[in-house]
Amino acid sequence: MTVSDNRTTTTNSVFLSTGYIDVEATLDGGQAFRWWPEDSGGYRGIVGRRVVNVSETDGGVVITPLDGKSSDGLGHLMLEYLGEDHDIEGFRTRFADDKCLGPALRGYSGLRVLRQDPWECLFSFITSSTSNIPRIKLNVGSVVECLGYSVGPKVRDVTFPEPEVVSGVGEQFLRDLGFGFRAKYLVPAAEAVASGQLNLTDLREATYAEAREALTALHGVGEKVADCVLAFSLDKPESFIVDRHILRALHKWYDLPENSSISYAADWARDYFGDHSSLANQYMFHRERLARRASEWGGVHTARALPEDEN
DNA sequence: GTCCAGGGTGAAA
DNA sequence: TTTCACCCTGGA
């Protein structure tokens, strides 16, 4: 991987030779909720305190700062965010012939697992409980517009509100923003992080089991939400997220025992996929989503996206 | 207009 | 282990 400046142009953008990255599937496919497509192409969002546009290009992505600042340090920041240190090549090799993942890898190879800010990730996935992606984006968007610190020209160009700020505004404020019953989980979680009782950064160094236990100790954080935070922000590639769609996929493609519980299925998948669990999980989730979307449109998605027969 | 599902969790049975 | 309430938004 290399980072090259592009200062000969007036755009001040940075090219990252990451290999192909499917920007839409990666940034706006249910891992993160603050990326918005731009008319001019690519996706606009915030990483740390920087406002950027991320666009696909040959052999990688182009990062363009939209906050008027220079591109110094942007390459490193974005490589880390885009999960560049994940073992994507090892994953591709190992599962090239897998019944479920092989076709997925050939159909849409540019999917990555992000490395997000842990607090934003925790907040977002507590919010995700019995919700859907449009609504999660709506909720997260409204809370950052109200409480975030502006770092760019647009209303959504704001940093994610610190846990101190979220605990300060209280439950009713979040309910009024439309978070519903999740508000009563979000405020205590913010308090735990703000007080230092829960140190999310330390959990990056902790084992998977330790970190998962620390997260599920929070009210409103079960195994599912914990695994999302572990995979998408706490450097735990052995994390495997099971919802009802993934459970169905596991039954369909693998020798998972009949009537396995969500919890059992997650243990089974972690054992089966090992350190490639979070990548396998994301490709499987994406495949199920495309299949579902295709059937809702009354069509078949296998012809284009998947070279092999679905059934 | 009504109905329903949506990347769940916690408490009670 | 299973059932149920919890909020509410968008699409059918």
Side-chain angles (χ1 to χ4, degrees):
Chain A
M1 85 184 77
T2 57
V3 179
S4 37
D5 280 338
N6 195 17
R7 287 165 207 258
T8 49
T9 72
T10 52
T11 58
N12 194 30
S13 52
V14 180
F15 167 67
L16 304 180
S17 64
T18 52
Y20 171 60
I21 290 185
D22 185 333
V23 169
E24 179 185 2
T26 301
L27 297 180
D28 203 18
Q31 295 187 58
F33 304 97
R34 289 219 286 156
W35 291 95
W36 302 90
E38 290 203 290
D39 294 339
S40 53
Y43 277 75
R44 185 191 192 102
I46 317 294
V47 177
R49 304 179 69 80
R50 301 301 307 272
V51 189
V52 295
N53 174 285
V54 181
S55 296
E56 290 173 21
T57 189
D58 277 352
V61 289
V62 173
I63 311 296
T64 306
L66 301 172
D67 49 15
K69 299 183 201 161
S70 88
S71 56
D72 291 349
L74 215 48
H76 175 75
L77 179 76
M78 292 307 297
L79 282 175
E80 198 169 83
Y81 183 83
L82 293 168
E84 192 56 15
D85 59 346
H86 278 115
D87 181 27
I88 187 94
E89 279 311 315
F91 171 66
R92 282 200 187 109
T93 306
R94 182 174 163 197
F95 294 103
D97 298 325
D98 186 272
K99 271 187 298 185
C100 172
L101 299 177
L105 278 163
R106 287 188 288 283
Y108 29 89
S109 59
L111 196 50
R112 305 298 174 101
V113 171
L114 297 174
R115 185 181 196 260
Q116 302 179 57
D117 170 69
W119 163 240
E120 173 170 351
C121 194
L122 176 62
F123 184 101
S124 301
F125 282 98
I126 291 176
T127 300
S128 78
S129 180
T130 334
S131 190
N132 50 62
I133 290 173
R135 185 180 173 189
I136 300 164
K137 289 186 78 165
L138 187 73
N139 289 153
V140 172
S142 57
V143 84
V144 300
E145 280 180 34
C146 286
L147 302 177
Y149 176 78
S150 175
V151 287
K154 293 203 171 181
V155 281
R156 292 198 186 107
D157 295 341
V158 294
T159 60
F160 198 83
E162 299 297 325
E164 291 82 356
V165 176
V166 173
S167 70
V169 297
E171 179 182 331
Q172 190 56 48
F173 184 91
L174 296 177
R175 280 189 181 265
D176 293 343
L177 283 181
F179 280 83
F181 63 85
R182 303 157 195 86
K184 67 175 179 286
Y185 300 141
L186 289 165
V187 171
E191 285 167 351
V193 176
S195 70
Q197 178 200 330
L198 178 65
N199 187 323
L200 292 173
T201 309
D202 284 355
L203 296 185
R204 281 184 164 156
E205 310 301 324
T207 66
Y208 170 80
E210 288 168 346
R212 196 176 198 240
E213 200 175 330
L215 290 174
T216 51
L218 293 170
H219 214 56
V221 179
E223 295 179 351
K224 157 76 171 53
V225 167
D227 276 319
C228 291
V229 179
L230 291 165
F232 304 148
S233 75
L234 293 178
D235 301 335
K236 300 292 180 281
E238 64 269 53
S239 171
F240 195 94
I241 301 149
V242 180
D243 63 9
R244 52 201 212 88
H245 305 296
I246 289 288
L247 186 62
R248 196 184 55 214
L250 287 172
H251 276 125
K252 183 173 172 184
W253 299 107
Y254 303 96
D255 292 326
L256 183 69
E258 294 270 340
N259 302 321
S260 296
S261 67
I262 297 252
S263 185
Y264 180 91
D267 287 340
W268 182 93
R270 272 194 299 280
D271 185 55
Y272 186 85
F273 296 108
D275 284 345
H276 294 117
S277 289
S278 65
L279 278 167
N281 194 191
Q282 215 45 39
Y283 275 83
M284 204 178 295
F285 181 67
H286 191 64
R287 176 172 185 158
E288 284 301 300
R289 214 154 86 102
L290 290 180
R292 210 170 352 137
R293 194 178 294 171
S295 73
E296 280 163 9
W297 281 70
V300 185
H301 79 297
T302 53
R304 270 184 165 283
L306 299 173
E308 292 177 13
D309 188 10
E310 173 91 348
N311 299 309

